[in-house]
Amino acid sequence: MSEFSHIDANGNAVMVDVAAKVDTVRKAIARGKVILNEKTFRMLQQQALPKGDALAAAKLAGIMGAKETHRLIPLCHPIALSYVDVRFAVNEADFTIGIEAEARCTGKTGVEMEALIAVQIAAATIYDMCKAVQKDVIISDCRLVYKEGGKSGVFKAE
């Protein structure tokens, strides 16, 4: 057997068989941010961007992204999500939009990828909504900050 979970003894990619695992309640939270210039930030706040309300669109896009994670990441299991939310922290001091996504399910495998994809799709949607007025939007610092459930227990980023 290979020492890698997604590669068999012959070097072929395989999906991990989770059938024998016990269902547990699982939760993951990921965060990232989008950095704008002052003009774009003010337009976003006032819902005055040419494409409309960036945060409303990004929230829906992030939720949709989480639900499609298994279609985007090779060998990722489809998960029956019980909850997904995308939240924003609008920071006037540095013209950033903090993004936090939370995903939950009861199942045999975790929801970390779903939370991470939700943040990244929300960030890309904000970029798309802002690109008409700013080309150098920065997406940064996407990472898992919390997870619980399964045999590895709780993870909390420092």
Side-chain angles (χ1 to χ4, degrees):
M1 181 170 151
S2 168
E3 64 184 88
F4 298 107
S5 62
H6 288 74
I7 300 174
D8 69 14
N10 296 319
N12 299 310
V14 294
M15 181 182 251
V16 173
D17 185 352
V18 296
K21 292 174 79 177
V22 176
D23 284 352
T24 61
V25 175
R26 293 159 183 273
K27 174 181 172 180
I29 299 173
R31 291 190 185 128
K33 69 180 174 182
V34 176
I35 305 167
L36 304 172
N37 65 33
E38 183 175 4
K39 174 188 171 192
T40 307
F41 183 85
R42 300 285 178 228
M43 290 177 77
L44 180 141
Q45 278 186 307
Q46 298 162 6
Q47 297 181 8
L49 292 164
K51 287 189 165 189
D53 185 347
L55 298 185
K59 181 178 182 90
L60 291 173
I63 293 168
M64 290 171 64
K67 292 166 62 174
E68 296 296 330
T69 299
H70 68 283
R71 296 183 193 280
L72 301 170
I73 306 294
L75 309 177
C76 192
H77 292 85
I79 294 176
L81 293 165
S82 56
Y83 177 81
V84 178
D85 192 24
V86 178
R87 301 176 283 268
F88 303 101
V90 179
N91 188 338
E92 298 214 21
D94 59 3
F95 311 123
T96 61
I97 309 299
I99 304 167
E100 180 177 271
E102 180 177 344
R104 293 185 220 150
C105 77
T106 299
K108 298 175 185 302
T109 189
V111 290
E112 299 93 337
M113 295 310 301
E114 287 72 13
L116 287 163
I117 292 295
V119 168
Q120 293 174 71
I121 295 296
T125 300
I126 292 171
Y127 179 93
D128 182 57
M129 300 291 285
C130 294
K131 70 183 179 188
V133 294
Q134 182 184 349
K135 302 288 188 243
D136 64 346
V137 172
I138 298 169
I139 296 170
S140 70
D141 299 331
C142 182
R143 63 184 243 164
L144 181 71
V145 297
Y146 182 85
K147 112 179 197 32
E148 67 181 50
K151 70 177 182 181
S152 65
V154 175
F155 164 80
K156 207 174 201 179
E158 294 177 20

